[in-house]
């Protein structure tokens, strides 16, 4: 295919909204594929690899400044083969080149990621965002490209020497623990607790300074210590409250933005990601059950409502992201002026909302207000001399009116691809919230998402990573399998379906067959029959999502106990051993692996209820309304068939019966609610 600036480039036929955003650029973009790679080899040109995603604000900035500029495009087209990648469709490429950037630059990467590669796909220099002209210590993009092109032509021997060292480092990075692990104990759990306490911000909540990310795995790790370590739980509760009262949380519609640019949780980076909101939804429910504070349950309900309204397709799958920008302005969709409040709200709701949302203070974002909850209803009631119930009613009236007005604005762009792994995270969040908040609509939402994946994203017996416009994407990665199994296990605890357990087992079998590192333990990010790249990543650290290795180890431990499949238990233990060196090096960065280690070390409690479906309902309430993260709950109707070996011993009877098992020891079957309560108390 030849390039014509008048006709656009090759990206117009791609499913990715991010790639389509660049289809009219004067840059001669290729999608990643053999056509581009062959051309680079044939013409002996370096590859300019640009990785981003549709909701990324700085990706849009660089596109407007550089990729839409004909002069910059001419430099790119003359010197390079230009490849544009959506990191959500190709997380394998993103992981490899983010890691390579960290080795080359000795600092973390981000998006947009700009890497220059040899025709053999090995990077030799790179950066993230580049301005069009020198600014803030960054080189201008055109000048940078001209220098890189000249260096590549005149110093190929240096490039090749560096490439050999980089490839060696990338290979070593995938190996996991080199030394034999004699035994695994709770030391990393204690070290993580201590490290989190050391970085905790006791003034604003959260950990470290700006920018601040939610780090949900760390919060849930602390909440799981609530009974023996109330101080740990309080750090998590205070952090979640600060996030939810602050600007990280959408005070009108619910849902969380990506991160806070300041230490106070006041101004966020305004993109909304599905993968943040699934775990945060569950964490809010955790916080409610630990604290008893309805504030967290209300925020969970509002977040779930936002997901179902804005992020769930009519067919059932969950969409990926909402953009940070609207009408060319970051956060513009979410901002308010004092005039807006005066025009839209009646006097009493306006007075209450202005006080609670802080419009009595200076504007906090480019002359307007991004809403934070500055005070609670109790303080507002005291200051205004009104009953608390009136304050709540006025605030709700204001919220609904502002939300209706916001709906008339041009909304942020939505990336409506369905990503299997991110759907797994939200299925788990919805299932946990639906079960524990006793909200059937949330469970139904999770069920619809799983039904969509079953119908559209399993192709020839294998899971695919994405679905967009009726077209399945790449074969699925480690995270897709692990996160989806996790979501299924949460759904099974909310309601039993034998076919869902069968799907979880099929996905687990695929993990062992196609992803496991049989020689060193753990799981590669890519399958053994996927495209061969310069590295086959195998990571144990969490990044913007939980570690696939950590989630895989935990769900395999659970599935192994349910199904009596020893190969699952063995693979989980090998993964923990493979990640042991990484885990001990920096425990707080391994939230998913810490959770897996807890599951491995903690005697498992399994509660199985058998009986008529309707008759089991009252037996569930003491299970669902109590925070018990290490308890696995299954309510299996008598008519259920195709139970695995691990569950056939829990025999049905004519009346409800409950089995409580701790590790390999089962208590006597409980046939009355009183006996069941005694059995639970004995665990």
């Amino acid at each position: 295919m030849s390039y014509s600036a008048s006709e656009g480039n090759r990206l117009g036929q791609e499913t990715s909204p991010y790639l389509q955003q660049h289809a009219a650029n004067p840059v001669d973009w290729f999608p990643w594929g053999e056509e581009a790679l062959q051309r680079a080899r044939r013409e002996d040109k370096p590859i300019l690899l640009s990785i981003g995603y549709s909701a990324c604000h700085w990706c849009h900035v660089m596109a407007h400044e550089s990729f839409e500029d004909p002069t910059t495009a001419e430099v790119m087209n003359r010197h390079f083969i230009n490849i544009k990648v959506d990191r959500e469709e190709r997380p394998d490429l993103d992981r490899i080149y983010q890691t390579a950037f960290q080795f080359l630059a000795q600092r973390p990467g981000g998006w947009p990621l700009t890497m220059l590669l040899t025709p053999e796909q090995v990077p030799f220099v790179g950066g993230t965002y580049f301005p069009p002209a020198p600014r803030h210590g960054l080189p201008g993009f055109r000048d940078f490209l001209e220098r890189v092109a000249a260096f590549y032509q005149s110093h190929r021997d240096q490039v090749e020497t560096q490439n050999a060292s980089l490839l060696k480092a990338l290979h070593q990075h995938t190996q996991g623990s080199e030394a034999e692990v004699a035994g695994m104990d709770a030391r990393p759990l204690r070290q993580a607790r201590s490290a989190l306490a050391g970085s905790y911000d006791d003034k604003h909540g959260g950990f470290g300074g700006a920018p601040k990310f939610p780090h949900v795995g760390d919060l849930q790790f602390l909440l799981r210590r609530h009974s023996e370590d109330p101080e740990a739980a309080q750090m998590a509760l205070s952090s979640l409250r600060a996030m939810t009262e602050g600007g990280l949380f959408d005070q009108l519609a619910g849902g969380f933005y990506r991160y806070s640019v300041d230490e106070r949780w006041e101004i966020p980076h305004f993109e909304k990601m599905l993968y943040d909101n699934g775990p945060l939804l569950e964490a809010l429910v955790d916080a409610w059950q630990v604290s008893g504070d309805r504030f967290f349950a209300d925020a969970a309900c509002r977040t779930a409502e936002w997901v179902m309204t804005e992020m769930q397709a009519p067919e059932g799958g969950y969409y990926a992201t909402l953009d940070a920008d609207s009408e060319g302005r970051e956060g513009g969709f979410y901002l308010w002026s004092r005039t807006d409040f005066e025009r839209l709200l009646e006097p009493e709701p306006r007075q209450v909302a202005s006080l609670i949302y802080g419009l009595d203070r200076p504007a906090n974002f480019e002359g307007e207000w991004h809403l934070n909850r500055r005070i609670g209803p109790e303080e507002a009631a005291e200051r205004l001399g009104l009953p608390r119930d009136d304050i709540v009613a006025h605030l709700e009236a204001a919220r609904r009116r502002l939300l209706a007005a916001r709906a008339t604005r041009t909304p942020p762009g939505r990336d409506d691809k369905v990503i299997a792994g991110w759907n797994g995270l939200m299925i788990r969040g919805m299932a946990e919230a639906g079960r524990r908040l006793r909200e059937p609509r949330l469970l139904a939402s999770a069920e619809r998402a799983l039904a969509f994946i079953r119908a559209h994203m399993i192709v020839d017996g294998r899971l695919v990573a994405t679905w967009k416009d009726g077209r399945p994407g790449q074969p699925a990665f480690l995270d897709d399998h692990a996160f989806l199994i996790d979501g299924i296990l949460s759904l099974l605890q909310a309601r039993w379906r034998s076919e869902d357990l069968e799907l979880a087992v099929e996905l687990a079998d695929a993990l062992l067959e196609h992803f496991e590192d049989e020689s060193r333990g753990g799981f590669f990010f890519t399958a053994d029959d996927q495209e061969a790249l310069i590295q086959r990543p195998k990571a144990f650290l969490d990044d913007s999502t939980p570690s696939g290795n950590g989630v895989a180890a935990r769900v395999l431990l659970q599935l192994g106990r349910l199904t009596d499949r020893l190969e699952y238990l063995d693979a989980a233990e090998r993964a923990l051993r493979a990640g042991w060196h990484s885990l001990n090096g920096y425990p707080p960065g391994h939230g998913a692996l810490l959770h897996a280690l807890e599951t491995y070390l903690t005697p498992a409690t399994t509660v199985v209820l058998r009986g008529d479906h309707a008759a089991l309902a009252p037996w569930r309430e003491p299970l669902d309304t109590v925070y018990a993260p290490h308890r696995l709950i299954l309510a299996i109707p008598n008519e259920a068939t195709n139970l695995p070996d691990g569950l056939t011993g829990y025999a049905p009877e004519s009346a409800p019966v409950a089995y409580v098992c701790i590790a390999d020891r089962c208590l006597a079957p409980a046939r009355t609610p009183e006996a069941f309560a005694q059995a639970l108390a004995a665990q």
Side-chain angles (χ1 to χ4, degrees), residues 306-324:
W306 166 74
V307 171
M308 292 187 290
T309 302
E310 298 292 335
M311 300 298 286
Q312 188 159 28
E315 301 85 356
Y318 296 116
Y319 299 135
T321 65
L322 286 184
D323 206 327

Side-chain angles (χ1 to χ4, degrees), residues 619 658 660 668-681:
W619 293 64
V660 178
R671 295 179 174 83
T672 66
E674 294 76 16
F676 182 38
Q678 290 177 0
L680 290 176

Side-chain angles (χ1 to χ4, degrees), residues 125 237 262 275 300 396 405 433 468 500 520 528 556 585 603 608 656:
V125 70
L237 293 171
D262 58 81
Y275 63 69
E396 180 61 16
K468 175 78 168 65
D500 288 351
R520 304 183 69 94
D528 56 2
L556 287 172
V608 178

Side-chain angles (χ1 to χ4, degrees), residues 29-50:
W29 289 118
F30 290 80
W32 181 276
E34 195 55 36
E35 180 186 3
L37 300 176
Q38 281 188 0
R39 183 164 170 180
R41 293 191 292 267
R42 184 173 66 250
E43 299 182 12
D44 192 26
K45 278 188 174 181
I47 295 166
L48 190 157
L49 177 66
S50 177

Side-chain angles (χ1 to χ4, degrees), residues 176-177 179-184 520 540 572-581 600:
S177 297
E180 184 69 22
V181 179
M184 293 182 289
R520 304 183 69 94
F540 298 95
E573 182 172 340
R574 288 194 297 270
L576 281 167
R577 292 182 183 277
W580 192 250
H581 177 73
Y600 176 79

